[in-house]
Amino acid sequence: MRQSKYFLKTSKTTPADDVSVNAKLLEQGGFVQKALAGVYSYLPLGWRVLKKIEAIVREEMDAAGGQEVFMPSLHPKANWEATGRWQGLDVLFKVKSQHGNEYALGPTHEEIVTPMAIPVINSYKDLPLAVYQIQTKFRDEPRAKSGLLRGREFRMKDLYSFHASSEDLEKYYNEVAIPAYEKIFQRLGLNALFTEASGGTFSKFSHEYQVEIESGEDVIYICEKCGMAKNKEVFEDGAECTKCGKTSWREAKASEVGNIFMLQEKYSKPFNLQFTDSDGSKKTVIMGCYGIGTSRLMGVIVEKFHDDKGIIWPAAVAPFKVHLISLKGGEETAENLYQDLLNSGVEVLYDDRDLSAGSKFADADLIGLPYRVVVSAKTVAQESVELKERAGQESQLVKINELADKLKN
Ligand code: ATP
Ligand code: MG
């Protein structure tokens, strides 16, 4: 992509009303633009990042046997009354239509997915099943701050599993859902701590995945021995670690990037979602739900990977791999290199603008692509370009005809 033609302008001024690092760097870098508190537009650069995060989540959900669906954002009021959450969920956005009807804007989808499964699940032979979506959610959060960490409109992957028994749910939870989650966070380069939390409906705990960051809204206690964590809400002094039995904890601030629940019959009961078991008896379907905040993840990644000059994207989610910068006397070579890199399938942002070296370097550091390639009169004289990793300090000269191969690997 040619930067001169890209829908992108970086900015030197920081957003006045938000002090979080992710809001500051993502807005200044031209990734997102705030429409109102907690509501953002994703500009081309930011949308590429979000799509990469969501592609990783999608791949792992598919690999775990999840089937992708797409449910509505506008929900019938009756479904939310059936579960008691029309009144019970404080962050529910309620919409009144001009015809006098009321609707909810989906903050989560148990109220849609459960009745949706009624015509599909009849017999024990239909179970287990799991469907998921990646979608925009709405929550009337009282304090939408911290950039992408807490939105009123945000992105989430939510998977729902259906089982014939609690044993089958537990097996799925431990053997399918948890390994898939660990794989996702590992691919994103994040150390997401498996954390016990309250909120289990019939089980003792639900589980969260928490990433330790200074700007996180949650307080967790991390076992100094094995790294398992407990949310402060459920933490008791002197508690033993469920995993290793030790009692030495370190307090930390963290952001919840995922949350998994054994719902059991909580939603299948009110919607009367039943199946016929092998002995002919009617039973209530057992459910689990599994969320990942994909837009919050984008914010958390920025909180984790940056320095005083800008973002340092992990390669797996960087909007482009290479920032190609042409300086005086390097224009023609840069044009040729740009074509070479495109032909080699390397994702490249090409700074072909007529600007000073200083402002181009500042933009490259702010935007934070993994590799910076500079072509100038000086490097061309040596038939080379200057290659530097965003995460490193040193740059090296690389022969022009070797660059594409080097960057491909
Ligand atoms: P929190 O405790 O942070 O309010 P939650 O427990 O209400 O979140 P869930 O309903 O379990 O969240 O949603 C699944 C995931 O969606 C969360 O783990 C989080 O990553 C993300 N998420 C929840 N609320 C928001 C929000 N307002 N903005 C961005 N992401 C969110
Ligand atoms: Mg939570």
Side-chain angles (χ1 to χ4, degrees), residues 159-221:
L159 181 135
Y160 304 88
S161 67
F162 303 91
H163 308 268
S165 66
S166 294
E167 293 73 48
D168 193 60
L169 166 62
E170 262 171 56
K171 194 165 141 67
Y172 180 88
Y173 192 90
N174 290 312
E175 294 175 20
V176 181
I178 289 175
Y181 269 49
E182 316 242 291
K183 189 93 184 286
I184 288 167
F185 298 124
Q186 176 214 323
R187 285 183 66 183
L188 294 171
L190 289 172
N191 180 20
L193 302 167
F194 187 64
T195 305
E196 280 172 357
S198 61
T201 312
F202 293 95
S203 52
K204 193 163 175 209
F205 298 114
S206 72
H207 291 100
E208 299 169 342
Y209 283 87
Q210 294 274 1
V211 176
E212 195 181 342
I213 49 173
E214 228 358 83
S215 52
E217 294 178 5
D218 288 16
V219 174
I220 59 169
Y221 291 89

Side-chain angles (χ1 to χ4, degrees), residues 295-340:
S295 54
R296 179 179 288 179
L297 269 171
M298 182 166 159
V300 164
I301 288 170
V302 174
E303 296 282 333
K304 251 314 351 129
F305 304 109
H306 69 272
D307 60 16
D308 55 353
K309 296 189 181 120
I311 304 170
I312 307 172
W313 290 110
V317 300
F320 296 90
K321 187 172 188 179
V322 180
H323 210 148
L324 173 64
I325 295 176
S326 83
L327 298 181
K328 249 197 176 48
E331 295 89 347
E332 203 183 312
T333 309
E335 282 290 326
N336 293 334
L337 260 180
Y338 177 53
Q339 290 308 326
D340 278 1

Side-chain angles (χ1 to χ4, degrees), residues 139 141 148-151 154 156 256-259 261 291-293 295-296:
R139 292 188 187 180
E141 302 275 2
L148 300 188
L149 299 187
R150 185 165 298 283
F154 61 97
M156 193 204 289
E256 178 199 310
V257 291
N259 201 342
F261 279 90
I292 289 186
S295 54
R296 179 179 288 179

Side-chain angles (χ1 to χ4, degrees), residues 112-381:
I112 299 294
V113 79
T114 313
M116 192 177 96
I118 292 173
V120 180
I121 297 172
N122 302 310
S123 133
Y124 70 98
K125 289 181 192 159
D126 295 324
L127 297 167
L129 277 177
V131 294
Y132 77 96
Q133 63 176 349
I134 300 175
Q135 204 217 26
T136 302
K137 303 283 195 226
F138 299 87
R139 292 188 187 180
D140 200 355
E141 302 275 2
R143 294 168 306 130
K145 53 174 183 66
S146 314
L148 300 188
L149 299 187
R150 185 165 298 283
R152 294 200 163 95
E153 178 175 326
F154 61 97
R155 299 278 292 181
M156 193 204 289
K157 182 284 301 176
D158 43 330
L159 181 135
Y160 304 88
S161 67
F162 303 91
H163 308 268
S165 66
S166 294
E167 293 73 48
D168 193 60
L169 166 62
E170 262 171 56
K171 194 165 141 67
Y172 180 88
Y173 192 90
N174 290 312
E175 294 175 20
V176 181
I178 289 175
Y181 269 49
E182 316 242 291
K183 189 93 184 286
I184 288 167
F185 298 124
Q186 176 214 323
R187 285 183 66 183
L188 294 171
L190 289 172
N191 180 20
L193 302 167
F194 187 64
T195 305
E196 280 172 357
S198 61
T201 312
F202 293 95
S203 52
K204 193 163 175 209
F205 298 114
S206 72
H207 291 100
E208 299 169 342
Y209 283 87
Q210 294 274 1
V211 176
E212 195 181 342
I213 49 173
E214 228 358 83
S215 52
E217 294 178 5
D218 288 16
V219 174
I220 59 169
Y221 291 89
I222 305 171
C223 172
E224 305 209 84
K225 181 83 198 307
C226 75
M228 160 105 191
K230 286 178 188 278
N231 197 303
K232 185 177 180 160
E233 296 170 336
V234 300
F235 186 75
E236 288 158 33
D237 267 337
E240 282 180 11
C241 175
T242 324
K243 199 167 147 198
C244 72
K246 290 281 180 294
T247 53
S248 104
W249 302 95
R250 175 170 70 83
E251 191 181 285
K253 284 202 216 158
S255 179
E256 178 199 310
V257 291
N259 201 342
I260 58 180
F261 279 90
M262 297 198 200
L263 297 171
Q264 305 288 359
E265 299 183 346
K266 184 173 181 184
Y267 296 98
S268 37
K269 258 236 157 86
F271 288 108
N272 206 23
L273 173 61
Q274 294 187 327
F275 69 101
T276 309
D277 210 348
S278 50
D279 61 5
S281 64
K282 284 264 183 210
K283 288 186 178 157
T284 302
V285 172
I286 301 296
M287 291 174 62
C289 74
Y290 315 81
I292 289 186
T294 54
S295 54
R296 179 179 288 179
L297 269 171
M298 182 166 159
V300 164
I301 288 170
V302 174
E303 296 282 333
K304 251 314 351 129
F305 304 109
H306 69 272
D307 60 16
D308 55 353
K309 296 189 181 120
I311 304 170
I312 307 172
W313 290 110
V317 300
F320 296 90
K321 187 172 188 179
V322 180
H323 210 148
L324 173 64
I325 295 176
S326 83
L327 298 181
K328 249 197 176 48
E331 295 89 347
E332 203 183 312
T333 309
E335 282 290 326
N336 293 334
L337 260 180
Y338 177 53
Q339 290 308 326
D340 278 1
L341 291 173
L342 287 183
N343 293 340
S344 307
V346 176
E347 292 178 306
V348 52
L349 180 61
Y350 171 30
D351 195 346
D352 58 340
R353 299 171 302 166
D354 187 15
L355 284 179
S356 72
S359 33
K360 287 189 174 189
F361 290 162
D363 272 1
D365 281 339
L366 176 60
I367 290 169
L369 306 183
Y371 296 97
R372 188 186 78 182
V373 170
V374 178
V375 192
S376 65
K378 206 171 102 198
T379 69
V380 170

Side-chain angles (χ1 to χ4, degrees), residues 67-91:
Q67 301 175 39
E68 189 168 8
V69 296
F70 192 70
M71 292 181 267
S73 291
L74 203 58
H75 296 187
K77 178 182 181 181
N79 293 31
W80 286 85
E81 285 178 329
T83 61
R85 292 210 286 185
W86 180 260
Q87 294 302 338
L89 187 68
D90 53 351
V91 294

